[in-house]
Structure formats: C-alpha cells, structure tokens
Amino acid sequence: MSLTDDTLPLLQDLIRNGCVNNLTADSGQEERNARTLEQFFEGTDVTVERYEPHPGRVSVAFTLEGTDPSAESLTLLGHTDVVPVDEDKWSVDPFGGEIKDGRVFGRGATDMLYITAAMAAAVRDVARGGRPKGTLTFVGCADEEARGGLGAKWLADNASFSWDNCLSEEGGSHLPAADGSDALVVVVGEKGAGQRRLTVHGDAGHGSAPFGRDMAVAKIGEVARRIATIEPEVRSDDIWEGYVRAWKFDPDTEQALLSGEGYEAFGQLEGYSHAMSHLTISPTVLRAGEAINVLPSVAWMELDIRPLPGQTQEEIDDLLREALGDLADDVEITHLITEPGSVSPTSGPLFDAIVDTFDEFFPGVPVVPTIAAGGSDLRFARRKGGVGYGFALHGRDETLGSVLGELHSHDESVAVEDVDLTVRAYRSLVRRFVGA
C-alpha cells in the first residue's frame, strides 16, 4: 500500500468529522478528529499526548523520540478544525469527502486537512520503520481558525514538544511567471493582527425630532469614509523584491511593482500581492442603535488590520489618527486582538531541506519565499525562538492563485495529485531532516 493509499481515506474521515469552528469556545469539537488520528496511529511505537483546555477542544501530539539527543528535531503542525459552510451554495455534501474528477471535495480539504493527513501518514510510515535520528512530532491542533487560543497558542504555553523547527500550511504551489517558466512558493512568514474598534458618541433622543442633534450614526459614517481613504505605502524588502522578480515581468512593469504600482499585472494574485507588500485595513463591522425610533448615542466600527513583520501597533494608531484628522479627538480607539507579524530566515537547516526536497520533485525550479496575508500556527513557533515554514507540494498546474482561491470557498477541494505529491514530499523531507 502506498502512502497516498493511506492518506486519502484519512483525509476523507477528517472531512466527514465536520469539526466546524464558528469562533465560539464550544464549537469545533476537534475531539472527533483527535480520535480519528489516534486510531490511525494504533499499533505504532509513538508517544501520544492529548490536550483539552476546554471540553471537546482536543489537540493531540504523536512523538517519535530520536536516537541522537543532539540532532535537530522536527514538529509538524496540522490543524483539525474547519470554518463554517453555507450549505445552499455547495453542489456536493461539504462533509462528504467525495472524490470526483480527480479531486477530494469537502470543507477543509485544502485548509488544511490534506496537509494534516499527509503529515500523519508520513510520520506513521517513519514509526513503522523504527526511530529517527532526530525527534519527530506530529500535532493535530485544535482552534487554528480562531487564532489558536484553545489550540497552538495554549500548546505553546503548556505542551512539552519541541518548537525549534516547525512546518505547517501552505506552500509548494507555483507562480505563473510571465515567460512561462516555473517557480515554487515557500511561506516563510505571516502578517500580524492589529484589530481596532473605533467608537463615537452623540446625542440620544427621539427619532421624530433629529434637528440640532449630534448624530452618532452620521459621525461613524464620516469616520468610515476617512478610514477608507487610507493608502499605506508599499513596504519593500528582500522577500517582496524577490517575489516580484520571480514573475519575470518586463523591466518597466517590474520597476512599477517594486514602487507599489501596477498590481493588476499579477492577475488573479493582485489582491494577495498587494496584501503581501502593504499594511491592510479592512472595515468589517459597523454597529449603532437598536430601535428605529431612537437616536443612538453610541456607534462603533471594527477594523481587521494586518501589519507586516516589523510594523508596530503604534504605527497603526498614528495612521488612523492622521486619517481621522479633526475627528481624532472624538474617536475612541480600542485595541482588540493585536499580534506582531513574524518571519523566519531564508537559510538554515530546515529551509535548506525544503529547497532540496522541492528540487527532488521539480529539478532546477527556483524557490520563492513569500509572506502569508493570513495567520497560521507557525507564529507561535517563531515567538518561542524556533523557525516555521509553510510546506506542501502541488502539481504544475496548481498556481498560488488557484490554491488560495480554494481557501474557505464553496465546493472547496484539493487535487488527488496534490495529496500524493504532498505526502511524498513530507516523507522525503522527514528522511532528509531527521534521518528517518
């Protein structure tokens, strides 16, 4: 039986367990996927550790102790929760795990259950053959979709496995270079969080007599308009410049992009590329009033703000106040979730092992480091002093844009070819890095 023959049924089971995280503490119930993974590892010589910070929110770690305490360790972080679905918009059962037309369909198929299943299959394969030189751990993490408070964040404070060298989602897709050549993506970092609530106050009163009132609704509307005008500058660094040059545009287009202009040249990746090179500010929530005949005295809006590595919360506040202008003193700025961006080096033992593994499957194809616009569990490894990279592998026709397009989408799916490539790539990298 091949590794892919092991991985596909496991992926289908993980999808069918339907561990939907709706951002509340009682959702997710990842104990179902934890139990499936424990059954998958039955009969192997692994150490199993269960973690349950809240009823049903179970993460589980499977560890093979290395034979050489001085050897590098490797930890694979696969999350087991998925985001909610709008079932009416799906043409297949979102929790059916159906395989058709060479693809596995289901919520979480791409984000990130196919990688989680591949990690498990690769580690079980090692366990069946003996102990590696370096310690190898696979973790099925709960609560990633809610930023890890009951998952990797909690594990970073309480679990005993190593965070020195970590792999998680997502990588190994292809850049559609302008000259038709190939390039492979590896995710080396991710943006942070700078969530804000902006609150304004006005006069309460009866809706029938608005004359002369300081209207909170009108004021928050003007706040929203001013925030929408913010255009942060491009933040150029080695990663952004390398990404632009990997596309092999003509010199004029390349120079414009390095200066922060002409993003339409990226086609399907226009939005992602802009997010990768800018602090982004998205107004997402607006609230005021309860009864139609009452003038509300309070109104507020929430902003999903994503800073790049190195950008500070103080910079964000300064940018907001500058845009608010003469309204700044009338607006309360409240910090919600705030986290710094993080990035790992584009050199070192684990990064080099990733490059060598890619070269094994796609010889001579350049590797392009990128920054993820969203978050992953890897940021907790970086905070603890370790390195973390997004690693998977896709067929030549799967571009970065096509893979990102599957995330949280209706009819989410992953190609069977990509499941096969990813599990074989993980098996190869594990052999290379921990001597399995």
Side-chain angles (χ1 to χ4, degrees):
M1 180 178 287
S2 71
L3 280 177
T4 304
D5 292 333
D6 286 342
T7 308
L8 282 172
L10 176 60
L11 170 57
Q12 290 174 295
D13 287 343
L14 296 175
I15 291 171
R16 289 165 182 161
N17 284 335
C19 296
V20 176
N21 187 342
N22 66 11
L23 311 189
T24 63
D26 292 329
S27 66
Q29 295 301 302
E30 295 92 341
E31 63 178 346
R32 296 192 291 269
N33 274 338
R35 188 164 56 248
T36 293
L37 291 169
E38 288 169 333
Q39 293 169 350
F40 186 76
F41 277 92
E42 284 180 355
T44 63
D45 187 21
V46 298
T47 300
V48 182
E49 296 176 288
R50 287 173 61 93
Y51 305 94
E52 190 171 5
H54 185 86
R57 308 306 300 271
V58 177
S59 297
V60 59
F62 305 88
T63 298
L64 276 168
E65 289 294 332
T67 59
D68 181 357
S70 66
E72 295 275 9
S73 63
L74 180 62
T75 301
L76 311 180
L77 302 171
H79 72 76
T80 58
D81 61 325
V82 301
V83 297
V85 300
D86 185 348
E87 293 197 37
D88 291 342
K89 301 293 179 63
W90 284 63
S91 66
V92 297
D93 180 356
F95 302 106
E98 179 181 350
I99 299 178
K100 67 175 186 177
D101 300 325
R103 301 186 70 86
V104 185
F105 287 80
R107 174 55 86 219
T110 292
D111 185 14
M112 65 170 286
L113 296 181
Y114 85 99
I115 302 177
T116 301
M119 290 172 168
V123 172
R124 188 176 76 167
D125 185 62
V126 174
R128 287 172 167 174
R131 293 171 61 190
K133 185 177 180 182
T135 296
L136 175 64
T137 301
F138 159 65
V139 189
C141 297
D143 203 37
E144 190 275 344
E145 296 294 355
R147 300 194 71 84
L150 296 173
K153 185 177 187 296
W154 189 92
L155 293 171
D157 295 330
N158 296 278
S160 58
F161 55 80
S162 172
W163 296 82
D164 290 347
N165 299 287
C166 294
L167 298 176
S168 191
E169 57 187 340
E170 166 74 63
S173 54
H174 301 258
L175 280 187
D179 65 354
S181 62
D182 195 9
L184 281 161
V185 168
V186 59
V187 181
V188 301
E190 61 195 67
K191 300 179 80 172
Q195 295 178 1
R196 297 292 190 273
R197 178 179 291 139
L198 307 186
T199 304
V200 299
H201 299 271
D203 296 331
H206 200 287
S208 65
F211 183 76
R213 301 286 189 177
D214 181 15
M215 295 190 186
V217 169
K219 194 179 295 183
I220 199 66
E222 177 60 16
V223 168
R225 187 195 69 78
R226 295 187 186 190
I227 293 299
T229 66
I230 298 175
E231 295 183 2
E233 295 182 354
V234 65
R235 217 283 297 275
S236 188
D237 56 17
D238 290 344
I239 293 175
W240 172 244
E241 291 174 6
Y243 173 80
V244 171
R245 293 193 170 103
W247 283 78
K248 298 185 178 179
F249 292 119
D250 63 84
D252 289 342
T253 300
E254 180 178 289
Q255 187 53 52
L257 290 167
L258 292 174
S259 302
E261 300 175 354
Y263 281 79
E264 64 275 5
F266 291 117
Q268 185 182 16
L269 286 167
E270 178 181 8
Y272 166 80
S273 301
H274 181 274
M276 180 180 162
S277 56
H278 290 76
L279 180 142
T280 55
I281 302 173
S282 297
T284 53
V285 177
L286 188 63
R287 293 282 187 271
E290 295 181 15
I292 197 169
N293 62 342
V294 178
L295 294 172
S297 61
V298 178
W300 48 269
M301 65 183 299
E302 290 181 348
L303 307 173
D304 182 0
I305 301 176
R306 306 292 179 113
L308 287 158
Q311 292 178 325
T312 68
Q313 300 300 323
E314 291 75 19
E315 289 178 66
I316 294 172
D317 286 339
D318 289 345
L319 197 61
L320 295 176
R321 292 191 185 97
E322 181 181 358
L324 291 170
D326 60 354
L327 281 177
D329 291 340
D330 294 333
V331 179
E332 298 172 6
I333 299 178
T334 304
H335 289 210
L336 304 178
I337 294 176
T338 60
E339 295 180 303
S342 63
V343 65
S344 295
T346 54
S347 62
L350 184 53
F351 184 85
D352 294 345
I354 290 170
V355 172
D356 290 344
T357 301
F358 280 163
D359 191 64
E360 175 186 339
F361 288 86
F362 291 92
V365 172
V367 175
V368 182
T370 63
I371 298 290
S376 80
D377 288 335
L378 290 170
R379 67 190 185 279
F380 301 110
R382 299 187 189 107
R383 288 181 197 172
K384 291 179 72 70
V387 297
Y389 301 98
F391 179 76
L393 194 58
H394 296 270
R396 178 67 176 88
D397 293 333
E398 289 285 2
T399 67
L400 177 58
S402 67
V403 173
L404 293 178
E406 291 291 335
L407 304 183
H408 301 186
S409 67
H410 305 314
D411 284 352
E412 179 182 353
S413 67
V414 63
V416 171
E417 178 189 13
D418 295 345
V419 178
D420 174 67
L421 282 169
T422 296
V423 69
R424 290 193 291 121
Y426 265 100
R427 186 64 183 89
S428 176
L429 188 146
V430 166
R431 287 180 182 272
R432 183 173 281 111
F433 194 73
V434 297

